[in-house]
């Protein structure tokens, strides 16, 4: 069965430091991969997506993610974190049927 | 372009009651998906509607049902509410067909509390 694992429940980084959030997936075919961000009490905002092609994808707010098929990973990165990046981050796999599978999320705290 | 809207924002119901949640899809989108997000968890897929028909369903019992209307808006109905149904219910819309089919845009959600 398809699944998404986000091994880090909570991460704390200093403002200006680099960030990497991990995501591993289990899926039988070429996956459609996504990262979403959720601020408290809000819906999910799409940060970036991977369908095919270049394995390094750029998203909004300075985020990028790299698809590594050999490691079944799709880690999210940002070179310099801002205080406004504090939020919950979700990795998701999308099936061709339209069904999405989400990880349990990583909560990011940014300290000044 | 208007985004995805959901109503109501918050709702409190008693165990055993029925509830209807509403979603208006983003302009130009023809597909609506519903998700349940329990506290501290990721969203769980409930079902998807395309052209007014259910187009996929997750592991939820039949007391979770839905509708999609000709204008692509949608309803989620939950009968015989249980305490475990307390969650944030998210609606997401997308445009079926082509490479953008899998870009889902989420509404702000409806917070349902069952007492």
């Amino acid at each position: 069965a398809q699944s998404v694992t986000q091994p880090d429940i909570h991460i704390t980084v200093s403002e200006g430091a680099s960030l990497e959030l991990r995501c591993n997936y289990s899926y039988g075919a070429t996956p459609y991969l996504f990262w979403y961000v959720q601020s408290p009490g809000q819906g999910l905002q799409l940060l970036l997506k991977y369908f095919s092609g270049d394995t390094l994808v750029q998203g909004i707010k300075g985020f990028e993610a790299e698809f590594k098929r050999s490691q079944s990973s799709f880690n999210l990165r940002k070179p310099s974190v801002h205080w406004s990046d504090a939020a919950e981050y979700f990795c998701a796999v999308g099936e061709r049927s339209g069904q999405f599978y989400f990880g349990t999320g990583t909560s990011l705290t940014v300290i000044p | 372009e208007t985004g995805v809207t959901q109503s109501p924002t918050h709702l409190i119901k008693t165990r055993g009651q029925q509830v209807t949640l509403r979603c208006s899809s983003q302009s130009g989108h023809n597909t609506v998906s519903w998700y349940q997000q329990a506290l501290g968890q990721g969203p769980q897929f409930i079902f998807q509607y395309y052209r007014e028909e259910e187009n996929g369903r997750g592991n939820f019992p039949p007391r979770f049902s839905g509708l999609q209307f000709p204008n692509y808006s949608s309803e989620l109905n939950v009968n015989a509410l249980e305490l475990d149904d307390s969650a944030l219910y998210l609606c997401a819309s997308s445009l079926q067909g082509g490479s953008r089919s899998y870009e889902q845009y989420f509404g702000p959600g409806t917070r349902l509390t069952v007492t």
Side-chain angles (χ1 to χ4, degrees), chain A residues 14-41:
Chain A
S14 299
E15 191 169 14
S18 63
L19 171 70
E20 182 169 30
L21 303 183
R22 296 183 290 166
C23 173
N24 294 97
Y25 66 89
S26 172
Y27 188 68
T30 301
Y32 297 148
L33 296 163
F34 305 82
W35 275 99
Y36 284 85
V37 61
Q38 185 177 36
S39 297

PDB file of all heavy atoms in Angstrom, chain A residues 14-41:
ATOM      1  N   SER A  14      17.247  28.011  13.760  1.00  0.00           N
ATOM      2  CA  SER A  14      17.429  29.436  13.974  1.00  0.00           C
ATOM      3  C   SER A  14      17.139  30.191  12.691  1.00  0.00           C
ATOM      4  O   SER A  14      17.383  29.686  11.587  1.00  0.00           O
ATOM      5  CB  SER A  14      18.864  29.733  14.428  1.00  0.00           C
ATOM      6  OG  SER A  14      19.141  29.086  15.652  1.00  0.00           O
ATOM      7  N   GLU A  15      16.610  31.384  12.833  1.00  0.00           N
ATOM      8  CA  GLU A  15      16.337  32.209  11.662  1.00  0.00           C
ATOM      9  C   GLU A  15      17.642  32.438  10.905  1.00  0.00           C
ATOM     10  O   GLU A  15      18.686  32.736  11.500  1.00  0.00           O
ATOM     11  CB  GLU A  15      15.713  33.540  12.071  1.00  0.00           C
ATOM     12  CG  GLU A  15      15.162  34.326  10.901  1.00  0.00           C
ATOM     13  CD  GLU A  15      14.311  35.512  11.340  1.00  0.00           C
ATOM     14  OE1 GLU A  15      14.365  35.869  12.532  1.00  0.00           O
ATOM     15  OE2 GLU A  15      13.602  36.065  10.487  1.00  0.00           O
ATOM     16  N   GLY A  16      17.575  32.253   9.589  1.00  0.00           N
ATOM     17  CA  GLY A  16      18.765  32.402   8.759  1.00  0.00           C
ATOM     18  C   GLY A  16      19.506  31.112   8.503  1.00  0.00           C
ATOM     19  O   GLY A  16      20.327  31.034   7.582  1.00  0.00           O
ATOM     20  N   ALA A  17      19.221  30.094   9.284  1.00  0.00           N
ATOM     21  CA  ALA A  17      19.861  28.791   9.081  1.00  0.00           C
ATOM     22  C   ALA A  17      19.183  28.049   7.939  1.00  0.00           C
ATOM     23  O   ALA A  17      18.077  28.378   7.517  1.00  0.00           O
ATOM     24  CB  ALA A  17      19.796  27.973  10.369  1.00  0.00           C
ATOM     25  N   SER A  18      19.886  27.021   7.452  1.00  0.00           N
ATOM     26  CA  SER A  18      19.308  26.203   6.387  1.00  0.00           C
ATOM     27  C   SER A  18      18.350  25.171   6.979  1.00  0.00           C
ATOM     28  O   SER A  18      18.407  24.849   8.171  1.00  0.00           O
ATOM     29  CB  SER A  18      20.411  25.503   5.594  1.00  0.00           C
ATOM     30  OG  SER A  18      21.115  24.609   6.437  1.00  0.00           O
ATOM     31  N   LEU A  19      17.495  24.643   6.114  1.00  0.00           N
ATOM     32  CA  LEU A  19      16.450  23.708   6.560  1.00  0.00           C
ATOM     33  C   LEU A  19      16.361  22.536   5.600  1.00  0.00           C
ATOM     34  O   LEU A  19      16.443  22.711   4.373  1.00  0.00           O
ATOM     35  CB  LEU A  19      15.095  24.422   6.594  1.00  0.00           C
ATOM     36  CG  LEU A  19      13.859  23.569   6.833  1.00  0.00           C
ATOM     37  CD1 LEU A  19      13.842  23.067   8.274  1.00  0.00           C
ATOM     38  CD2 LEU A  19      12.590  24.356   6.518  1.00  0.00           C
ATOM     39  N   GLU A  20      16.199  21.349   6.139  1.00  0.00           N
ATOM     40  CA  GLU A  20      15.856  20.187   5.317  1.00  0.00           C
ATOM     41  C   GLU A  20      14.821  19.360   6.056  1.00  0.00           C
ATOM     42  O   GLU A  20      15.042  18.930   7.189  1.00  0.00           O
ATOM     43  CB  GLU A  20      17.073  19.322   4.989  1.00  0.00           C
ATOM     44  CG  GLU A  20      16.712  18.133   4.086  1.00  0.00           C
ATOM     45  CD  GLU A  20      17.930  17.413   3.528  1.00  0.00           C
ATOM     46  OE1 GLU A  20      18.980  17.408   4.189  1.00  0.00           O
ATOM     47  OE2 GLU A  20      17.818  16.840   2.423  1.00  0.00           O
ATOM     48  N   LEU A  21      13.684  19.146   5.427  1.00  0.00           N
ATOM     49  CA  LEU A  21      12.622  18.294   5.965  1.00  0.00           C
ATOM     50  C   LEU A  21      12.570  17.022   5.146  1.00  0.00           C
ATOM     51  O   LEU A  21      12.505  17.070   3.922  1.00  0.00           O
ATOM     52  CB  LEU A  21      11.274  19.027   5.906  1.00  0.00           C
ATOM     53  CG  LEU A  21      11.191  20.370   6.629  1.00  0.00           C
ATOM     54  CD1 LEU A  21       9.776  20.931   6.535  1.00  0.00           C
ATOM     55  CD2 LEU A  21      11.611  20.244   8.074  1.00  0.00           C
ATOM     56  N   ARG A  22      12.558  15.908   5.844  1.00  0.00           N
ATOM     57  CA  ARG A  22      12.646  14.618   5.163  1.00  0.00           C
ATOM     58  C   ARG A  22      11.288  14.017   4.841  1.00  0.00           C
ATOM     59  O   ARG A  22      10.329  14.171   5.603  1.00  0.00           O
ATOM     60  CB  ARG A  22      13.450  13.639   6.027  1.00  0.00           C
ATOM     61  CG  ARG A  22      14.902  14.045   6.237  1.00  0.00           C
ATOM     62  CD  ARG A  22      15.637  12.999   7.033  1.00  0.00           C
ATOM     63  NE  ARG A  22      15.195  12.943   8.427  1.00  0.00           N
ATOM     64  CZ  ARG A  22      15.484  11.945   9.248  1.00  0.00           C
ATOM     65  NH1 ARG A  22      16.200  10.907   8.824  1.00  0.00           N
ATOM     66  NH2 ARG A  22      15.071  11.970  10.502  1.00  0.00           N
ATOM     67  N   CYS A  23      11.244  13.346   3.715  1.00  0.00           N
ATOM     68  CA  CYS A  23      10.035  12.648   3.288  1.00  0.00           C
ATOM     69  C   CYS A  23      10.439  11.388   2.539  1.00  0.00           C
ATOM     70  O   CYS A  23      11.223  11.450   1.597  1.00  0.00           O
ATOM     71  CB  CYS A  23       9.192  13.540   2.379  1.00  0.00           C
ATOM     72  SG  CYS A  23       7.767  12.701   1.627  1.00  0.00           S
ATOM     73  N   ASN A  24       9.901  10.255   2.962  1.00  0.00           N
ATOM     74  CA  ASN A  24      10.078   8.997   2.248  1.00  0.00           C
ATOM     75  C   ASN A  24       8.721   8.443   1.874  1.00  0.00           C
ATOM     76  O   ASN A  24       7.757   8.591   2.628  1.00  0.00           O
ATOM     77  CB  ASN A  24      10.845   7.988   3.112  1.00  0.00           C
ATOM     78  CG  ASN A  24      12.261   8.423   3.360  1.00  0.00           C
ATOM     79  OD1 ASN A  24      12.566   9.015   4.400  1.00  0.00           O
ATOM     80  ND2 ASN A  24      13.139   8.164   2.411  1.00  0.00           N
ATOM     81  N   TYR A  25       8.633   7.809   0.731  1.00  0.00           N
ATOM     82  CA  TYR A  25       7.347   7.321   0.260  1.00  0.00           C
ATOM     83  C   TYR A  25       7.474   5.871  -0.167  1.00  0.00           C
ATOM     84  O   TYR A  25       8.566   5.372  -0.462  1.00  0.00           O
ATOM     85  CB  TYR A  25       6.850   8.176  -0.907  1.00  0.00           C
ATOM     86  CG  TYR A  25       7.726   8.051  -2.127  1.00  0.00           C
ATOM     87  CD1 TYR A  25       7.501   7.070  -3.087  1.00  0.00           C
ATOM     88  CD2 TYR A  25       8.813   8.908  -2.305  1.00  0.00           C
ATOM     89  CE1 TYR A  25       8.322   6.932  -4.176  1.00  0.00           C
ATOM     90  CE2 TYR A  25       9.646   8.770  -3.404  1.00  0.00           C
ATOM     91  CZ  TYR A  25       9.399   7.789  -4.321  1.00  0.00           C
ATOM     92  OH  TYR A  25      10.235   7.653  -5.397  1.00  0.00           O
ATOM     93  N   SER A  26       6.340   5.226  -0.199  1.00  0.00           N
ATOM     94  CA  SER A  26       6.239   3.874  -0.714  1.00  0.00           C
ATOM     95  C   SER A  26       5.154   3.885  -1.766  1.00  0.00           C
ATOM     96  O   SER A  26       3.990   4.163  -1.454  1.00  0.00           O
ATOM     97  CB  SER A  26       5.879   2.889   0.405  1.00  0.00           C
ATOM     98  OG  SER A  26       5.613   1.610  -0.116  1.00  0.00           O
ATOM     99  N   TYR A  27       5.554   3.635  -3.009  1.00  0.00           N
ATOM    100  CA  TYR A  27       4.585   3.697  -4.117  1.00  0.00           C
ATOM    101  C   TYR A  27       5.100   2.838  -5.245  1.00  0.00           C
ATOM    102  O   TYR A  27       6.275   2.865  -5.563  1.00  0.00           O
ATOM    103  CB  TYR A  27       4.400   5.143  -4.572  1.00  0.00           C
ATOM    104  CG  TYR A  27       3.286   5.351  -5.564  1.00  0.00           C
ATOM    105  CD1 TYR A  27       1.956   5.178  -5.192  1.00  0.00           C
ATOM    106  CD2 TYR A  27       3.566   5.704  -6.873  1.00  0.00           C
ATOM    107  CE1 TYR A  27       0.938   5.356  -6.109  1.00  0.00           C
ATOM    108  CE2 TYR A  27       2.552   5.881  -7.798  1.00  0.00           C
ATOM    109  CZ  TYR A  27       1.236   5.721  -7.407  1.00  0.00           C
ATOM    110  OH  TYR A  27       0.223   5.894  -8.304  1.00  0.00           O
ATOM    111  N   GLY A  28       4.211   2.078  -5.880  1.00  0.00           N
ATOM    112  CA  GLY A  28       4.626   1.106  -6.871  1.00  0.00           C
ATOM    113  C   GLY A  28       5.054   1.674  -8.194  1.00  0.00           C
ATOM    114  O   GLY A  28       5.857   1.077  -8.908  1.00  0.00           O
ATOM    115  N   ALA A  29       4.534   2.817  -8.563  1.00  0.00           N
ATOM    116  CA  ALA A  29       4.836   3.384  -9.879  1.00  0.00           C
ATOM    117  C   ALA A  29       5.567   4.714  -9.683  1.00  0.00           C
ATOM    118  O   ALA A  29       5.936   5.076  -8.577  1.00  0.00           O
ATOM    119  CB  ALA A  29       3.540   3.588 -10.650  1.00  0.00           C
ATOM    120  N   THR A  30       5.788   5.424 -10.771  1.00  0.00           N
ATOM    121  CA  THR A  30       6.390   6.750 -10.660  1.00  0.00           C
ATOM    122  C   THR A  30       5.418   7.652  -9.925  1.00  0.00           C
ATOM    123  O   THR A  30       4.279   7.824 -10.358  1.00  0.00           O
ATOM    124  CB  THR A  30       6.684   7.333 -12.055  1.00  0.00           C
ATOM    125  OG1 THR A  30       7.573   6.452 -12.739  1.00  0.00           O
ATOM    126  CG2 THR A  30       7.330   8.699 -11.909  1.00  0.00           C
ATOM    127  N   PRO A  31       5.848   8.210  -8.821  1.00  0.00           N
ATOM    128  CA  PRO A  31       4.909   8.976  -7.997  1.00  0.00           C
ATOM    129  C   PRO A  31       4.771  10.420  -8.449  1.00  0.00           C
ATOM    130  O   PRO A  31       5.659  10.985  -9.077  1.00  0.00           O
ATOM    131  CB  PRO A  31       5.566   8.918  -6.622  1.00  0.00           C
ATOM    132  CG  PRO A  31       7.037   8.915  -6.931  1.00  0.00           C
ATOM    133  CD  PRO A  31       7.177   8.127  -8.210  1.00  0.00           C
ATOM    134  N   TYR A  32       3.641  10.977  -8.129  1.00  0.00           N
ATOM    135  CA  TYR A  32       3.480  12.423  -8.158  1.00  0.00           C
ATOM    136  C   TYR A  32       3.692  12.880  -6.715  1.00  0.00           C
ATOM    137  O   TYR A  32       3.008  12.393  -5.813  1.00  0.00           O
ATOM    138  CB  TYR A  32       2.096  12.824  -8.638  1.00  0.00           C
ATOM    139  CG  TYR A  32       1.789  12.413 -10.067  1.00  0.00           C
ATOM    140  CD1 TYR A  32       0.497  12.082 -10.454  1.00  0.00           C
ATOM    141  CD2 TYR A  32       2.772  12.355 -11.029  1.00  0.00           C
ATOM    142  CE1 TYR A  32       0.201  11.718 -11.754  1.00  0.00           C
ATOM    143  CE2 TYR A  32       2.497  11.986 -12.337  1.00  0.00           C
ATOM    144  CZ  TYR A  32       1.208  11.664 -12.693  1.00  0.00           C
ATOM    145  OH  TYR A  32       0.920  11.287 -13.979  1.00  0.00           O
ATOM    146  N   LEU A  33       4.600  13.793  -6.496  1.00  0.00           N
ATOM    147  CA  LEU A  33       4.999  14.166  -5.141  1.00  0.00           C
ATOM    148  C   LEU A  33       4.753  15.642  -4.891  1.00  0.00           C
ATOM    149  O   LEU A  33       4.949  16.472  -5.794  1.00  0.00           O
ATOM    150  CB  LEU A  33       6.482  13.841  -4.932  1.00  0.00           C
ATOM    151  CG  LEU A  33       6.828  12.359  -5.010  1.00  0.00           C
ATOM    152  CD1 LEU A  33       8.318  12.164  -5.206  1.00  0.00           C
ATOM    153  CD2 LEU A  33       6.349  11.639  -3.760  1.00  0.00           C
ATOM    154  N   PHE A  34       4.375  15.944  -3.666  1.00  0.00           N
ATOM    155  CA  PHE A  34       3.992  17.297  -3.319  1.00  0.00           C
ATOM    156  C   PHE A  34       4.483  17.644  -1.916  1.00  0.00           C
ATOM    157  O   PHE A  34       4.609  16.776  -1.051  1.00  0.00           O
ATOM    158  CB  PHE A  34       2.460  17.461  -3.324  1.00  0.00           C
ATOM    159  CG  PHE A  34       1.807  17.056  -4.611  1.00  0.00           C
ATOM    160  CD1 PHE A  34       1.533  15.732  -4.879  1.00  0.00           C
ATOM    161  CD2 PHE A  34       1.461  18.009  -5.546  1.00  0.00           C
ATOM    162  CE1 PHE A  34       0.930  15.344  -6.070  1.00  0.00           C
ATOM    163  CE2 PHE A  34       0.851  17.639  -6.742  1.00  0.00           C
ATOM    164  CZ  PHE A  34       0.594  16.301  -7.006  1.00  0.00           C
ATOM    165  N   TRP A  35       4.715  18.927  -1.704  1.00  0.00           N
ATOM    166  CA  TRP A  35       4.892  19.473  -0.369  1.00  0.00           C
ATOM    167  C   TRP A  35       3.869  20.584  -0.176  1.00  0.00           C
ATOM    168  O   TRP A  35       3.703  21.455  -1.038  1.00  0.00           O
ATOM    169  CB  TRP A  35       6.293  20.044  -0.173  1.00  0.00           C
ATOM    170  CG  TRP A  35       7.305  19.032   0.237  1.00  0.00           C
ATOM    171  CD1 TRP A  35       8.216  18.392  -0.555  1.00  0.00           C
ATOM    172  CD2 TRP A  35       7.545  18.549   1.570  1.00  0.00           C
ATOM    173  NE1 TRP A  35       8.998  17.542   0.196  1.00  0.00           N
ATOM    174  CE2 TRP A  35       8.601  17.625   1.500  1.00  0.00           C
ATOM    175  CE3 TRP A  35       6.977  18.830   2.821  1.00  0.00           C
ATOM    176  CZ2 TRP A  35       9.094  16.956   2.627  1.00  0.00           C
ATOM    177  CZ3 TRP A  35       7.466  18.172   3.937  1.00  0.00           C
ATOM    178  CH2 TRP A  35       8.513  17.252   3.832  1.00  0.00           C
ATOM    179  N   TYR A  36       3.195  20.501   0.990  1.00  0.00           N
ATOM    180  CA  TYR A  36       2.227  21.520   1.366  1.00  0.00           C
ATOM    181  C   TYR A  36       2.646  22.115   2.705  1.00  0.00           C
ATOM    182  O   TYR A  36       3.276  21.448   3.535  1.00  0.00           O
ATOM    183  CB  TYR A  36       0.825  20.920   1.533  1.00  0.00           C
ATOM    184  CG  TYR A  36       0.112  20.597   0.248  1.00  0.00           C
ATOM    185  CD1 TYR A  36       0.312  19.388  -0.412  1.00  0.00           C
ATOM    186  CD2 TYR A  36      -0.788  21.502  -0.315  1.00  0.00           C
ATOM    187  CE1 TYR A  36      -0.352  19.097  -1.588  1.00  0.00           C
ATOM    188  CE2 TYR A  36      -1.466  21.219  -1.487  1.00  0.00           C
ATOM    189  CZ  TYR A  36      -1.243  20.014  -2.123  1.00  0.00           C
ATOM    190  OH  TYR A  36      -1.906  19.727  -3.281  1.00  0.00           O
ATOM    191  N   VAL A  37       2.228  23.365   2.937  1.00  0.00           N
ATOM    192  CA  VAL A  37       2.450  24.011   4.223  1.00  0.00           C
ATOM    193  C   VAL A  37       1.103  24.418   4.805  1.00  0.00           C
ATOM    194  O   VAL A  37       0.185  24.813   4.062  1.00  0.00           O
ATOM    195  CB  VAL A  37       3.385  25.238   4.083  1.00  0.00           C
ATOM    196  CG1 VAL A  37       2.799  26.287   3.164  1.00  0.00           C
ATOM    197  CG2 VAL A  37       3.703  25.833   5.444  1.00  0.00           C
ATOM    198  N   GLN A  38       0.986  24.268   6.119  1.00  0.00           N
ATOM    199  CA  GLN A  38      -0.261  24.615   6.804  1.00  0.00           C
ATOM    200  C   GLN A  38       0.056  25.477   8.024  1.00  0.00           C
ATOM    201  O   GLN A  38       0.730  25.043   8.943  1.00  0.00           O
ATOM    202  CB  GLN A  38      -1.002  23.347   7.234  1.00  0.00           C
ATOM    203  CG  GLN A  38      -2.367  23.609   7.842  1.00  0.00           C
ATOM    204  CD  GLN A  38      -3.100  22.324   8.193  1.00  0.00           C
ATOM    205  OE1 GLN A  38      -2.482  21.347   8.626  1.00  0.00           O
ATOM    206  NE2 GLN A  38      -4.407  22.292   7.992  1.00  0.00           N
ATOM    207  N   SER A  39      -0.471  26.692   8.012  1.00  0.00           N
ATOM    208  CA  SER A  39      -0.352  27.566   9.175  1.00  0.00           C
ATOM    209  C   SER A  39      -1.502  27.261  10.122  1.00  0.00           C
ATOM    210  O   SER A  39      -2.533  26.727   9.693  1.00  0.00           O
ATOM    211  CB  SER A  39      -0.375  29.030   8.733  1.00  0.00           C
ATOM    212  OG  SER A  39       0.739  29.294   7.902  1.00  0.00           O
ATOM    213  N   PRO A  40      -1.356  27.586  11.399  1.00  0.00           N
ATOM    214  CA  PRO A  40      -2.390  27.236  12.385  1.00  0.00           C
ATOM    215  C   PRO A  40      -3.778  27.712  11.964  1.00  0.00           C
ATOM    216  O   PRO A  40      -3.971  28.863  11.596  1.00  0.00           O
ATOM    217  CB  PRO A  40      -1.914  27.962  13.645  1.00  0.00           C
ATOM    218  CG  PRO A  40      -0.435  28.039  13.494  1.00  0.00           C
ATOM    219  CD  PRO A  40      -0.192  28.244  12.030  1.00  0.00           C
ATOM    220  N   GLY A  41      -4.742  26.798  12.003  1.00  0.00           N
ATOM    221  CA  GLY A  41      -6.118  27.132  11.678  1.00  0.00           C
ATOM    222  C   GLY A  41      -6.393  27.374  10.208  1.00  0.00           C
ATOM    223  O   GLY A  41      -7.489  27.815   9.848  1.00  0.00           O
TER     224      GLY A  41
END
